[in-house]
Amino acid sequence: MSTAAAAPTAAPSKAGQILKSSLQQLFVFAALIVVFVFFMIFANNFGPGIIPDILLQAAAIGTMALGATFIIATGGIDLSVGTGMTFCAVMAGVFMSSAFMNLPLGIGLLLTILVGIAIGLVNGFLIAYLDIPPFIATLAMMMVTRGLSLIISKSSSIKIENPDYSAISNGRILPFLSNAALIFVVLGIVAAFLLGKTLLGRYALAIGSNEEATRLSGINVRLWKMLVYVTAGIFTALGAILYSGRFGFVQPAEGLGMELQVIAAVVIGGTSLSGGRANIIGTMMGALLMMTLTVGLQMMGIPNQWQLVVTGVIVLLAVYADILRRKRSTAV
């Protein structure tokens, strides 16, 4: 499947783009293997048997990262993805908990996805039509969704009793793979198709490569930019369903800081922060790398505070690697 694409105005040939994409995927895969082997040596009880658990935990972060890939491909950013996920999860609890609306599973899931669409729609409108910088618009949305989550839940956890909801993540259609991991793979295929074979992906990359040239070519940049944020909102809602379904309850204070892991997964995977280049498989492997680090550090007994330090360092290294890639590209 197509995992990387370039804007129509980009200079490198298609073969060159595919080669760079493949090399990036190979690099991330090699890093994933090195990190896994490291923890097999130094972390207690860390081995091949932990892989299903890593896949289960990576599904939610990875799903949100798939949506963030489209945003970063335009040269934008979404700081609200973590708290937006929490808000979607809180609303899922409101829709499907017996303490609130107690709606049927299908209706509750649909409404949860609509909440994600609403978040993306507001973000997209603020950025595309009101010309508010993505950093500011999504920072405001991060605070709004965090506040609403605490207000609606009254700062208390919400339990979702419906066993079918938990089965979305923890069930196993395939005996060796959790449903959450399977859904993540399927969504990765969908995201790759959207990026490489639809106008949404092509225009997202074109906007990231040269927004003014894209506008002058007759493309409605404002509309397509807003649709990119709506798409990301859908992936955020799906990530919320996978995340809350894994535990069966919702904690309204969670999600803050999760945007770091999402952005790191996207950038590590080869999507450029300056826009114009994206890699879906790379994003998926980046999410697996981040979760392998998290699980490995936990099993080594590293305090959560130091896990945050490691995550921050990885984000810096990923951004610096992206800067070096851009410099090499412009030098050719």
Side-chain angles (χ1 to χ4, degrees), residues 55-71 78 81 85 113 168-169 179-191 231-243 258 261-263 265-266 280 283-288 291:
L55 291 171
L56 173 62
Q57 295 187 48
I61 291 289
T63 296
M64 291 186 287
L66 291 174
T69 300
F70 289 86
I71 291 177
D78 186 3
V81 61
M85 181 280 295
I113 293 173
I168 293 174
S169 289
N179 287 346
L182 180 61
I183 291 170
F184 176 41
V185 172
V186 172
L187 290 175
I189 295 172
V190 172
T231 300
I234 294 173
F235 280 99
T236 296
L238 293 172
I241 292 168
L242 295 179
Y243 187 81
M258 200 173 287
Q261 293 178 297
V262 170
I263 294 171
V266 175
I280 294 298
T283 293
M284 297 174 74
M285 289 195 292
L288 290 175
M291 193 51 60

Side-chain angles (χ1 to χ4, degrees), residues 11-12 20 274 277 323-332:
K20 287 182 180 179
S274 62
R277 186 176 68 246
I323 292 173
L324 293 179
R325 285 197 301 264
R326 292 205 310 268
K327 287 182 177 179
R328 284 196 294 266
S329 297
T330 56
V332 174

Side-chain angles (χ1 to χ4, degrees), residues 1-68:
M1 61 184 175
S2 174
T3 59
T9 56
S13 66
K14 186 174 181 179
Q17 296 161 19
I18 294 174
L19 177 60
K20 287 182 180 179
S21 174
S22 300
L23 288 175
Q24 180 66 25
Q25 293 171 20
L26 183 62
F27 172 78
V28 179
F29 182 73
L32 180 60
I33 296 299
V34 169
V35 169
F36 194 89
V37 171
F38 173 85
F39 286 124
M40 283 185 64
I41 297 172
F42 294 102
N44 294 327
N45 302 319
F46 192 97
I50 201 71
I51 292 176
D53 188 52
I54 291 175
L55 291 171
L56 173 62
Q57 295 187 48
I61 291 289
T63 296
M64 291 186 287
L66 291 174

Side-chain angles (χ1 to χ4, degrees), residues 150-212:
L150 294 171
I151 292 169
I152 293 172
S153 66
K154 298 180 180 179
S155 300
S156 301
S157 62
I158 301 175
K159 183 175 178 59
I160 305 176
E161 296 90 349
N162 192 324
D164 293 331
Y165 187 78
S166 179
I168 293 174
S169 289
N170 298 320
R172 297 202 173 196
I173 296 176
L174 301 177
F176 56 88
L177 195 66
S178 66
N179 287 346
L182 180 61
I183 291 170
F184 176 41
V185 172
V186 172
L187 290 175
I189 295 172
V190 172
F193 176 79
L194 290 175
L195 180 65
K197 301 296 183 182
T198 68
L199 291 178
L200 178 72
R202 293 170 186 171
Y203 288 166
L205 291 163
I207 292 169
S209 180
N210 192 325
E211 183 171 338
E212 186 59 27

Side-chain angles (χ1 to χ4, degrees), residues 14-154:
K14 186 174 181 179
Q17 296 161 19
I18 294 174
L19 177 60
K20 287 182 180 179
S21 174
S22 300
L23 288 175
Q24 180 66 25
Q25 293 171 20
L26 183 62
F27 172 78
V28 179
F29 182 73
L32 180 60
I33 296 299
V34 169
V35 169
F36 194 89
V37 171
F38 173 85
F39 286 124
M40 283 185 64
I41 297 172
F42 294 102
N44 294 327
N45 302 319
F46 192 97
I50 201 71
I51 292 176
D53 188 52
I54 291 175
L55 291 171
L56 173 62
Q57 295 187 48
I61 291 289
T63 296
M64 291 186 287
L66 291 174
T69 300
F70 289 86
I71 291 177
I72 295 177
T74 67
I77 199 73
D78 186 3
L79 299 180
S80 67
V81 61
T83 57
M85 181 280 295
T86 302
F87 181 62
C88 288
V90 166
M91 294 309 298
V94 170
F95 297 141
M96 289 176 278
S97 172
S98 60
F100 292 90
M101 300 174 70
N102 200 25
L103 296 174
L105 180 66
I107 296 176
L109 293 177
L110 177 60
L111 290 175
T112 301
I113 293 173
L114 288 176
V115 172
I117 290 174
I119 293 173
L121 192 63
V122 173
N123 277 337
F125 179 78
L126 293 174
I127 294 164
Y129 287 93
L130 299 187
D131 295 322
I132 297 176
F135 183 90
I136 301 300
T138 59
L139 179 63
M141 180 60 74
M142 178 178 75
M143 293 186 284
V144 168
T145 49
R146 178 169 170 79
L148 288 175
S149 296
L150 294 171
I151 292 169
I152 293 172
S153 66
K154 298 180 180 179

